[in-house]
Amino acid sequence: MALRLFNTLSRSVQEFVPLDPQGRKVGLYCCGPTVYDFGHIGNFRTFVFADLVRRYLEFRGFEVTHVMNITDVEDKIIRRVGEAGTTLAEYTGRYEQAFLEDSETLGLRAPHHRPRATEHIGPIIGLIRKLEKRGFAYVADGSVYFSIERYRAAGNRYGKLLNLNLDELRTGERVANDEYAKESVADFALWKARVPEDGEVFWPSPWGEGRPGWHIECSAMSMKLLGESFDLHLGGEDLVFPHHEDEIAQSEGGCGHPADRPFVKYWLHGAHLLVEGKKMSKSLGNFFTLRDLLDKGFTGREIRHLLLTAYYRESFNFTLDGLTGARSALARIDECTGKLRAVAVGAAAGPAPALVDRFTAAMDDDLNVSAAWAAVFDWVRDQNRRFAEESITPAEAAAELAAWERIDSVLGIGGEAEEAVPADILALAEARQAARKAKDFARADTVRDELKARGWTIEDTPKGPRVKRL
Ligand code: AMP
Ligand code: ZN
């Protein structure tokens, strides 16, 4: 069976066929965080979903290039920078670092590229110039806007993802205070002229000093890193309109994609996360950053598991009880894999068991992760029965374990973090710390190399150094 995914563009489940004629390489872009605060668990539901897509494509043998941008300049950020009285880089750097740490806590595979908007002002200006040349952009008061009317007049469709009725949209009232400069209410800014409130956040451009609009950032960075046409674009459902509609209009307007090779072939959107049945909000007291949950004693693994229990297109009701449930679910899996390890010791794996097939069938069906977990827990029950009956051989246990490890390359909740670190390795890690403290960096490096030679590495985390398998 082939992998099938729900494509927002066609509003249907479609077989996934990459643009690559060899059918192997896949380009995947997911809109990344706006680094103005710590990420909340809603954000992380979307990022865990993107990680699941990437891991499953890799499991299916595709060679994925995964890009996730860092939005490090936009309206909210500029406001916060002004309030904090600091520089843009200082302000966003702190939250970008926190995001990277949180991503690691949740076991997210690192994207191959993490482009920052502020480092792509050149390609952004280049794309706006293309839009100008093709007649879809106009200047008003030093800002540059995208003209939806001109884009449509040239035979393009705006609103492909939502099936928008533009005539209805345009009767809407004015929504932002700078609308007067636009030819039409629905037009959006590609480049925003510098205003006093922007402080030092501005770049020179052919239209004067200013900064990019948020939508153009993703168009420019995704096409720069993945080409003018690529396979998959992901984000939370709130991004469908206007962000993704605008990305399509800017990219296809600027580059003139042929109809059979659009900007993006498959658009995937994750549904939102609710907390105790309600939209998260600070005033309701149900707003959790990832760090809030870690402070309550939950682990990244438990949070990842919970965020992965629901089908991505259904809104998910997050509860603290759910997290406690995740803890006991993981304990059942750990107990089972621990027993399998004990039985399998030294045995070569036998034939591949059914778990992988059942898991694959579930995931091929638009990433039906609920069915995939059902396969996992049925499997746990079966293994427990075999342990009780003492009917499992070491070779069978090794095969079951190999099957589990294969599917855990997708689920990412396996026990690797729990591998006991041998005492001599721990002693080396401590020796390195002591050398660093004494500023004997040559010695610290030697110890680090010795650890490496023995297959271990030290990672410096905010909670201190951590020893990990290479
Ligand atoms: P932001 O940092 O605000 O740019 O958002 C980053 C990502 O989180 C986007 O893909 C949003 O769609 C997504 N997102 C925001 N709120 C939620 C939520 N409550 N549930 C799931 N995803 C969300
Ligand atoms: Zn984006």
Side-chain angles (χ1 to χ4, degrees), residues 66-78:
H66 177 192
V67 181
M68 180 182 278
N69 69 299
I70 302 280
T71 300
D72 61 351
V73 55
E74 55 81 77
D75 298 351
K76 283 188 295 273
I77 294 179
I78 292 179

Side-chain angles (χ1 to χ4, degrees), residues 30-36 39-47 71 76 214 234-239 244 270-274 279-280:
C30 177
C31 292
T34 307
V35 282
Y36 68 99
H40 59 65
I41 46 167
N43 300 139
F44 284 109
R45 176 181 194 201
T46 295
F47 299 137
T71 300
K76 283 188 295 273
W214 171 43
L234 276 58
E237 61 186 356
D238 57 312
L239 298 190
H244 289 164
H272 265 203
L273 172 144
L274 305 171
K279 199 175 154 165
M280 243 191 304

Side-chain angles (χ1 to χ4, degrees), residues 130-192:
K130 280 192 193 172
L131 285 165
E132 256 189 330
K133 280 204 192 95
R134 302 187 83 233
F136 301 136
Y138 62 92
V139 181
D141 289 347
S143 291
V144 187
Y145 294 96
F146 184 93
S147 166
I148 292 179
E149 205 155 306
R150 295 188 210 170
Y151 181 66
R152 291 176 77 207
N156 299 297
R157 164 116 199 266
Y158 178 83
K160 284 183 191 174
L161 290 173
L162 262 194
N163 232 353
L164 268 186
N165 180 339
L166 258 226
D167 298 323
E168 262 172 35
L169 181 78
R170 291 186 52 217
T171 59
E173 71 248 28
R174 297 181 164 201
V175 283
N177 56 11
D178 59 356
E179 300 269 306
Y180 70 92
K182 298 189 204 172
E183 287 176 1
S184 158
V185 161
D187 292 352
F188 54 91
L190 299 164
W191 184 263
K192 300 187 173 187

